[in-house]
Amino acid sequence: AQKVTQAQTEISVVEKEDVTLDCVYETRDTTYYLFWYKQPPSGELVFLIRRNSFDEQNEISGRYSWNFQKSTSSFNFTITASQVVDSAVYFCALFTGGGNKLTFGTGTQLKVEL
Amino acid sequence: EAGVAQSPRYKIIEKRQSVAFWCNPISGHATLYWYQQILGQGPKLLIQFQNNGVVDDSQLPKDRFSAERLKGVDSTLKIQPAKLEDSAVYLCASSLDRAGEVYGYTFGSGTRLTVV
């Protein structure tokens, strides 16, 4: 069975602070893909990143960075110098060939205030 | 590129009534998904189509939910009769590859259903 845990239900920060969203996953498959999605108040899920299980390189995209550590089954997401527009619910998701579907965590509500 | 289109955007119905949602995926995307997102939870897969065939409907409550994808393009999800616990956002997504593992999923804006 596959599972994604996002222990942080809600995080509030002040603009320009850095914030890290945690994601821990469980799977017995050796080949899998990890995703992060952003869900703004408008409701659509916006794709942010995909990482396969064989690529443990961390990635940076502008103010966003991702830290993938297989040893701890974690795929954490950091926003540097947060902005009000970053306010949204962020979902971590796991795809495995065995499950053949995308399993989402429960999401982390990020509130960035002025 | 046009995104995944869904309608209606909002729907309020009374329990025991019927409701239908429509989804038009991105052109050329063979795989289409319906997800249910209850408030405060992550999306849960209801059904997955590959062209017009069902790949996975293991979590679809088949006594009241049905879905079809005629001609392998548009899809309709129906609930009949609706229950209070069906109140949720219904998200449609599509992917270019078989299960979205390579190219990812593109989601629509969803239909917010309220059952009263």
Side-chain angles (χ1 to χ4, degrees), chain A residues 75-86:
Chain A
F75 187 44
N76 296 337
F77 173 31
T78 297
I79 302 175
T80 302
S82 59
Q83 300 176 1
V84 172
V85 294
D86 296 327

Side-chain angles (χ1 to χ4, degrees), chain B residues 7-18:
Chain B
S7 67
R9 190 77 173 89
Y10 304 94
K11 190 75 176 178
I12 300 175
I13 62 172
E14 295 183 352
K15 59 183 178 183
R16 291 188 289 273
Q17 284 188 325
S18 301

Side-chain angles (χ1 to χ4, degrees), chain A residues 97-109:
Chain A
N100 200 36
K101 63 185 178 186
L102 200 58
T103 298
F104 285 84
T106 51
T108 297
Q109 170 84 58

Side-chain angles (χ1 to χ4, degrees), chain B residues 21-83:
Chain B
F21 313 128
W22 173 82
C23 172
N24 187 313
I26 290 177
S27 178
H29 281 196
T31 311
L32 184 147
Y33 315 81
W34 283 102
Y35 279 82
Q36 179 193 58
Q37 186 178 14
I38 294 172
L39 185 64
Q41 299 182 19
K44 181 185 81 172
L45 179 68
L46 291 177
I47 189 167
Q48 176 183 344
F49 291 95
Q50 179 77 15
N51 296 309
N52 60 350
V54 174
V55 174
D56 183 352
D57 63 357
S58 57
Q59 297 190 92
L60 186 74
K62 298 180 186 63
D63 57 334
R64 299 182 300 105
F65 285 65
S66 64
E68 58 182 11
R69 191 184 183 196
L70 300 176
K71 300 181 182 179
V73 182
D74 294 8
S75 178
T76 302
L77 176 69
K78 296 179 182 177
I79 307 175
Q80 180 181 6
K83 292 185 176 181

Side-chain angles (χ1 to χ4, degrees), chain A residues 22-76:
Chain A
D22 298 334
C23 173
V24 174
Y25 62 92
E26 295 176 30
T27 179
R28 293 179 182 173
D29 286 33
T30 56
T31 301
Y32 51 88
Y33 296 83
L34 292 161
F35 297 79
W36 275 95
Y37 282 87
K38 175 182 180 180
Q39 189 173 43
S42 54
E44 78 276 18
L45 283 159
V46 178
F47 168 80
L48 295 177
I49 190 172
R50 177 188 62 253
R51 173 67 70 219
N52 74 56
S53 53
F54 299 108
D55 182 4
E56 287 193 72
Q57 266 194 323
N58 292 327
E59 182 160 336
I60 298 174
S61 176
R63 296 184 297 108
Y64 296 169
S65 62
W66 291 270
N67 182 2
F68 177 29
Q69 292 195 334
K70 287 179 75 170
S71 60
T72 56
S73 297
S74 65
F75 187 44
N76 296 337

